[in-house]
């Protein structure tokens, strides 16, 4: 099973990907997470990406495409995977089609209004150790500022500041949304309602994927 999760920042792609990954026994490949790890470790990639990510801009296509290419040939990808946050430009979508021996199954587009996104992202907290996602109002950790799963510290992402969020939403509408047409033309696009509670969408996705 090879699926893509498309959608604006804060649409809940990471939350749903964790649920589907577990149910299907396939990994989630999150380019945002790969970049944040590289930034935390101060690698060459991390240093290159940092300026873009902090401003809410896209990291150049060739850099991202190289990362994904390398990741998809790892043995754990044999049974399939969920791509979260990639592709983010039409050029990335084309590069993905070129690297796959057989086609993607589905590109799910997470639909949610811009007004809801702002509220979600300003309250979002992420575990610095395992990547688990919480929300100060809608889904706080039972352990306060520590992760329920691994006791790691919960942090606000550097790019979850209001001004950067606006820029990321703008970048999404301009550069990423055109991908919907790309997948629509190829009969791969399924739009899902990503507003409201994550449990409802999780049920829908599990059903659509036959899990
Ligand atoms: P979100 O979807 O919540 O904005 P991500 O974790 O997917 O967050 O991405 C965070 C940042 O990492 C993006 O704003 C961008 O700078 C960079 N990034 C992630 N994936 C890509 C990609 N496929 N192409 C270019 N930049 C990317
Ligand atoms: Zn954790």
């Amino acid at each position: 099973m090879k699926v893509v999760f498309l959608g604006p920042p804060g649409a809940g792609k990471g939350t749903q990907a964790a649920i589907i990954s577990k149910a299907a026994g396939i990994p989630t490949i999150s380019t945002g997470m790969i970049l944040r790890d590289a930034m935390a470790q101060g690698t060459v990639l991390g240093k290159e990406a940092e300026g873009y990510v902090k401003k809410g801009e896209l990291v150049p296509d060739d850099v991202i495409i190289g990362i994904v290419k390398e990741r998809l040939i790892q043995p754990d990808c044999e049974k399939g995977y969920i791509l979260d946050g990639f592709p983010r430009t039409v050029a990335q979508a084309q590069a993905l089609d070129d690297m796959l021996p057989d086609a993607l199954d589905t590109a799910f587009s997470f639909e949610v209004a811009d007004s809801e996104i702002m509220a979600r992202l300003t309250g979002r907290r992420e575990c610095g150790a395992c990547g688990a996602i919480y929300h100060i109002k809608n889904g706080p950790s039972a352990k306060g500022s520590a992760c329920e799963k691994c006791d790691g510290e919960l942090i606000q992402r550097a790019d979850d500041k209001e001004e950067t969020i606006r820029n990321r939403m703008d970048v999404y509408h301009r550069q990423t949304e055109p991908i919907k047409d790309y997948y629509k033309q190829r009969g791969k696009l399924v739009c899902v309602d990503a507003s409201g509670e994550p449990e409802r969408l999780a049920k829908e996705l599990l059903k659509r994927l036959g899990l």
Side-chain angles (χ1 to χ4, degrees):
M1 187 171 89
K2 298 189 183 104
V3 296
V4 161
F5 284 0
L6 272 178
K13 303 185 296 292
T15 303
Q16 299 298 333
I19 296 168
I20 305 301
S21 260
K22 203 168 159 200
I26 55 173
T28 294
I29 296 160
S30 157
T31 45
M33 202 107 89
I34 292 172
L35 294 174
R36 280 189 292 283
D37 278 346
M39 281 159 45
Q41 285 168 25
T43 63
V44 176
L45 167 67
K47 289 193 181 110
E48 187 174 0
E50 198 147 21
Y52 299 102
V53 174
K54 290 222 164 118
K55 278 184 268 177
E57 277 158 23
L58 295 185
V59 171
D61 284 339
D62 56 333
V63 176
I64 291 288
I65 290 165
I67 294 172
V68 172
K69 226 179 214 165
E70 221 170 89
R71 183 64 187 86
L72 294 186
I73 56 174
Q74 301 304 313
D76 65 327
C77 289
E78 255 161 42
K79 275 174 57 195
Y81 40 79
I82 299 166
L83 285 167
D84 165 17
F86 179 92
R88 242 183 173 84
T89 62
V90 172
Q92 291 179 15
Q94 269 155 353
L96 176 63
D97 278 343
D98 292 342
M99 62 179 105
L100 296 183
D102 43 333
L104 279 178
D105 296 297
T106 311
F108 289 101
S109 173
F110 287 47
E111 306 288 328
V112 50
D114 285 0
S115 53
E116 193 171 334
I117 287 169
M118 191 54 84
R120 288 187 184 185
L121 288 185
T122 48
R124 176 160 79 175
R125 298 293 179 273
E126 199 176 87
C127 172
C130 77
I133 299 158
Y134 300 89
H135 191 281
I136 50 173
K137 285 202 207 99
N138 308 336
S141 166
K143 293 187 178 169
S145 62
C147 176
E148 279 174 22
K149 296 183 184 119
C150 79
D151 285 317
E153 190 194 352
L154 302 189
I155 47 176
Q156 183 175 40
R157 278 169 42 177
D159 58 351
D160 277 350
K161 307 278 185 292
E162 199 168 321
E163 202 187 301
T164 312
I165 294 170
R166 263 207 195 96
N167 196 30
R168 283 157 61 206
M169 279 158 56
D170 200 50
V171 165
Y172 174 75
H173 290 308
R174 275 188 294 114
Q175 294 183 261
T176 306
E177 237 178 347
I179 300 183
K180 281 164 61 175
D181 273 333
Y182 178 91
Y183 285 125
K184 198 172 173 188
Q185 282 159 14
R186 286 159 181 76
K188 302 284 177 199
L189 186 74
V190 173
C191 293
V192 293
D193 177 5
S195 65
E197 295 300 313
E199 289 76 16
R200 195 210 53 80
L201 179 55
K203 268 193 205 130
E204 179 181 346
L205 290 172
L206 289 166
K207 195 169 157 205
R208 283 185 186 270
L209 291 167
L211 294 166

